[in-house]
């Protein structure tokens, strides 16, 4: 879905979201509640400038609009893979973005991620996966790594990884697999305004200091051991 269609579905004409290159920012009104909106488009690679621009919006919201919820619109191919960004410290810029999102949550801002197109690798990890909850549209594409790349890193053959992906969502791309693993809390269909409201209320009513994803993964059969192992380690 195009970001313009998405903002229309979420906010109607009551939004000021604009695009500057691959960077999205602005505000939107949904059922009387004002949201800070920040994100990316065009399958953007998250480089130093884009990471810092998103972080700035989050920090400005914390400073100027206490308690205002933040919606992260996610469409990224991952971190920018070029020498220039490595030299400028892309790792620190992306870590800074993640820390700003976490700081917003700790200051009382509900932060929701919405994967509306593509979410890969570090660009997803430092945004939607640090939010209070991450949601997605059914047509979204989510993966950490393509199977050929995974094969090169793990030294497991592509054929074996394809076979493993049939039964284990950890090895398989696709939004439904991330729902099964608990990384994506829900898929938004139908009335997106209602979906946004429901997600906000669910975040407010949840224990925001506790990561619910391992338990969701266990309940949904996508990550059957993470929750129990984490609790065993915490109690040791």
């Amino acid at each position: 879905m195009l970001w313009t269609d998405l903002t229309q579905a979420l906010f109607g004409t009551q939004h000021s979201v604009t695009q500057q290159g691959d960077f999205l920012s602005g505000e939107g009104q949904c059922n009387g509640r004002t949201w800070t909106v920040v994100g990316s488009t065009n399958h953007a690679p998250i480089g130093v400038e884009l990471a810092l621009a998103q972080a700035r919006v989050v920090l400005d919201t914390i400073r100027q609009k206490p308690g205002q919820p933040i919606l992260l619109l996610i469409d990224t191919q991952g971190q920018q893979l070029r020498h220039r960004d490595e030299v400028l410290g892309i790792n620190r810029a992306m870590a800074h973005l993640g820390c700003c999102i976490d700081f917003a949550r700790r200051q009382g801002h509900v932060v929701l991620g919405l994967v509306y197109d593509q979410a890969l690798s570090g660009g997803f990890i430092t945004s939607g996966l640090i939010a209070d909850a991450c949601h997605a549209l059914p047509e979204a594409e989510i993966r950490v790594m393509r199977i050929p790349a995974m094969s090169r890193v793990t030294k497991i053959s592509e054929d074996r990884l394809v076979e493993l992906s049939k039964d284990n969502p950890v090895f398989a791309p696709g939004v439904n697999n991330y729902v099964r693993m608990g990384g994506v809390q829900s898929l938004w269909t139908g009335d997106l305004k209602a979906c946004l409201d429901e997600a906000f209320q669910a975040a407010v009513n949840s224990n925001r200091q506790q990561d619910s994803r391992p338990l969701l993964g266990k309940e949904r059969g996508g990550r059957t051991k993470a929750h129990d192992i984490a609790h065993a380690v915490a109690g040791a």
Side-chain angles (χ1 to χ4, degrees):
M1 179 182 286
L2 297 174
W3 75 265
T4 50
D5 295 333
L6 177 61
T7 50
Q8 175 67 29
L10 288 170
F11 308 115
T13 59
Q14 295 183 302
H15 77 83
S16 61
V17 181
T18 58
Q19 176 182 351
Q20 296 178 319
D22 295 334
F23 175 53
L24 303 177
S25 65
E27 290 186 331
Q29 292 270 343
C30 180
N31 296 330
R33 182 176 294 112
T34 301
W35 289 80
T36 293
V37 181
V38 61
S40 57
T41 189
N42 297 326
H43 301 345
I46 308 298
V48 170
E49 289 87 356
L50 188 49
L52 294 180
Q54 292 185 79
R56 169 55 58 193
V57 172
V58 174
L59 290 177
D60 285 347
T61 299
I62 296 169
R63 182 182 300 109
Q64 300 168 11
K65 299 158 188 177
Q68 181 162 299
I70 300 170
L71 178 64
L72 309 172
L73 298 185
I74 301 162
D75 175 24
T76 174
Q77 60 182 269
Q79 66 269 30
Q80 177 68 267
L81 300 175
R82 63 183 181 186
H83 182 68
R84 172 184 177 275
D85 286 83
E86 294 291 338
V87 171
L88 289 175
I90 180 62
N91 58 318
R92 298 187 67 176
M94 296 185 74
H96 174 64
L97 172 59
C99 287
C100 290
I101 292 171
D102 180 63
F103 183 57
R105 294 178 61 243
R106 294 174 187 273
Q107 294 299 306
H109 298 260
V110 168
V111 183
L112 299 179
L114 176 61
V115 182
Y116 70 96
D117 197 321
Q118 180 175 272
L120 274 71
S121 193
F124 181 37
I125 293 170
T126 55
S127 56
L129 291 182
I130 299 182
D132 287 298
C134 187
H135 304 267
L137 302 184
E139 61 269 28
E141 178 185 3
I142 304 177
R143 62 176 182 269
V144 170
M145 192 177 291
R146 289 184 173 88
I147 283 181
M150 191 184 300
S151 176
R152 290 194 295 271
V153 171
T154 63
K155 311 304 181 185
I156 300 172
S157 72
E158 290 185 33
D159 290 342
R160 178 57 176 155
L161 288 174
V162 170
E163 190 65 28
L164 287 170
S165 70
K166 294 177 182 178
D167 300 315
N168 192 329
V170 172
F171 291 94
V175 66
N176 289 313
N177 287 308
Y178 276 78
V179 173
R180 284 184 62 197
M181 290 189 289
V184 171
Q185 191 167 96
S186 71
L187 300 181
W188 289 7
T189 59
D191 185 348
L192 297 188
K193 287 178 179 284
C195 291
L196 181 57
D197 271 348
E198 290 171 10
F200 175 82
Q201 293 301 332
V204 169
N205 295 331
S206 68
N207 181 351
R208 299 175 63 212
Q209 302 305 314
Q210 182 175 346
D211 187 355
S212 64
R213 290 173 297 183
L215 181 58
L216 284 176
K218 179 180 180 180
E219 293 172 346
R220 296 170 179 176
R223 296 177 71 205
T224 57
K225 298 183 183 300
H227 176 267
D228 293 342
I229 291 173
H231 273 259
V233 170

